[in-house]
Every structure is written in C-alpha cells, then in structure tokens.
Amino acid sequence: MDLLGRRWALRVLWELSHQPLRALELKDRCDDMSSSVLYQRLRELSEAGLVIQHSDGRFAITPLGGDLRAALEPLDAWSRRWAERP
C-alpha cells in the first residue's frame, strides 16, 4: 500500500494498463511529472514485480500488475460515478 500511495504510482500503472509505452511516451501522458520521479516510480514498480521493461525499451505491466489493475476496477467504477454526480 505504501508503494501505491506514492505520487504518480497509480497513474503510471493506469497508463501502462492500456498498452506498453516508452518512458517519454509515459511522461507525456502524465501531466507535470518530472523525469526523475518517473524513473524512480518505474524502478520501484519493477522491483515490486508490477512493471517490466521489454528489450525494445517499452514498459508494460506484468501479470501481477494486471491482477492489481483488476482489483482496482471497482474503485475506478466508483470514481466515475462520483465524477458524474450533479
């Protein structure tokens, strides 16, 4: 939970859940994230087994990261309902 509570960690996982991305592509999708924070989060998520870097340089979520994404889907659904409230 400590790792997931760190700034940008969930956003990085969210962006990678759609498709593998190179670091610069990922940075472009994460508004205002510094390069140093991006690489720190990628390193931490990799060490935790949630993200992997392919030989072509792209980052992707691992099967374990995919399990986490599935576990977070109810929270995503709730946040969408919350955002649509009058």
Side-chain angles (χ1 to χ4, degrees), residues 39-52:
Y39 286 107
Q40 183 177 357
R41 291 299 169 264
L42 287 170
R43 184 173 46 257
E44 292 166 345
L45 294 167
S46 294
E47 289 171 357
L50 302 174
V51 170
I52 191 168

Side-chain angles (χ1 to χ4, degrees), residues 10-86:
L10 286 174
R11 178 69 182 269
V12 168
L13 290 170
W14 176 262
E15 294 298 339
L16 292 176
S17 71
H18 302 339
Q19 64 183 355
L21 297 168
R22 295 186 187 285
L24 291 178
E25 294 170 321
L26 186 54
K27 186 178 180 310
D28 287 344
R29 292 175 185 228
C30 296
D31 311 320
D32 299 326
M33 183 183 357
S34 71
S35 295
S36 61
V37 171
L38 171 62
Y39 286 107
Q40 183 177 357
R41 291 299 169 264
L42 287 170
R43 184 173 46 257
E44 292 166 345
L45 294 167
S46 294
E47 289 171 357
L50 302 174
V51 170
I52 191 168
Q53 187 175 16
H54 294 297
S55 60
D56 65 1
R58 293 181 305 151
F59 291 89
I61 60 170
T62 63
L64 185 61
D67 291 346
L68 176 59
R69 171 71 174 103
L72 292 172
E73 285 180 10
L75 181 59
D76 179 52
W78 175 86
S79 69
R80 290 177 192 277
R81 288 191 306 274
W82 177 83
E84 293 174 357
R85 66 181 167 53

